[in-house]
Amino acid sequence: MSNLGQQPRRVRDLGIVVGALPTGPLDAITDVPGVRVGHTTIVDAPRLHTGVTAIVPDALDADRRSLPCGLFVGNGFGKLIGATQVVELGAIETPILLTATLSAFRAADALVTHVLATPGHEETRTLNPVVGETNDGRLSDIRARPVTEAHVLAALDGATSGLPGEGCVGAGTGTMALGFKGGIGTSSRRVGEWVVGALVQSNFSGTLTVRGVPITPDDGAVPAAGVSPAPYSAGPGGTPAPADAPADPRQPEGNSCMIVVATDAPLDARQLGRVARRAVFAMARVGSDFTGGSGDYALAFSTAGTPSSGSVDDRDLDPVFAATTEAVEEALLNSLFMATTTVGHRGTAAAVPHDLVLDRLRAAGVLPQPWAAGPAS
């Protein structure tokens, strides 16, 4: 069964429904009022597949210089810039950027440039930029560090409240996950009057699991996302590998997952930390093996500001937790199902074959057989 010519489709559009809670109108993090997302995608195939993704809360303005935020570190093998101050103060002061590992530091500098130029920061002397990353070095020449200030500013300035791009866009352009091509994914859930939205940058290892059914790339249906020493230069003056060198059939390891959760529920930083913890737990639902080399992080922020007497009681958080795990699970699946096969710097990552997944789910009784609905009336 081939995935050649396959069109990217969100899992819900394929009839795969995650959880029982209703989604927002876009089924995206931008369903949270005042949250925008922008991407800059950098492709110079096969050498470069990378980019920047910006999550921009409009509640950060001249009148509100910070928003409550919680952080949970599933495994700390990563370079989450700004993490210690988020833990210490329970707040973010800037939009959140996602990019490639070795470009995170340039992205942070550009984010500072952006924020210092906004109204209310004319006298700012300290600022904590928040930049997450995963390693896209299999499909992109990560050592080239191609992300510039212009790329970052374009993602920030171009952020919109519409349905964000998913799959091979922005910070997900060169990522791989669960043996297939990964990327950016998003989803949302409604909890009463509130919305919980998630956006992910998937780049981790394990066995893809959809509604409890494992889907592996080594069953003969698709080529393994192996690391082939295809022609590339390791740097100035580097020697290309021979074009006929054999491919390595092993599944490449993933290199981390970044999860951003936004909500308009009036939660404080401690409660948002509990939400972030559930976001990382959701990775298990799609088959993460949580290896020691994977930096798995979740940030959860609230646009409601500092809660007062109207804050949510801890006893009432269970629906928010459920919304978080459902939204993150679906966002992770969307990040793969919306991705396309990519031939990159040091190998090829195959897209998840939709037909194979649907057949497996039907065989497992998770989805009805095509004929089960009976003849049309």
Side-chain angles (χ1 to χ4, degrees), residues 276-294:
R277 185 176 293 110
R278 271 68 181 182
V280 171
F281 292 168
M283 293 173 60
R285 295 190 175 195
V286 299
S288 173
D289 56 10
F290 295 104
T291 60
S294 182

Side-chain angles (χ1 to χ4, degrees), residues 31-100:
D31 287 325
V32 179
V35 174
R36 296 180 289 120
V37 173
H39 299 297
T40 297
T41 300
I42 303 169
V43 174
D44 183 7
R47 181 169 173 253
L48 296 178
H49 295 87
T50 192
V52 181
T53 294
I55 300 94
V56 183
D58 289 333
L60 283 175
D61 57 22
D63 298 321
R64 292 176 60 189
R65 299 283 293 274
S66 67
L67 296 175
C69 182
L71 167 67
F72 180 70
V73 181
N75 190 62
F77 190 48
K79 290 80 186 167
L80 177 55
I81 296 171
T84 58
Q85 185 169 310
V86 172
V87 171
E88 186 71 18
L89 301 183
I92 53 170
E93 301 174 338
T94 72
I96 298 170
L97 296 183
L98 305 176
T99 190

Side-chain angles (χ1 to χ4, degrees), residues 28 292 348:
T348 297

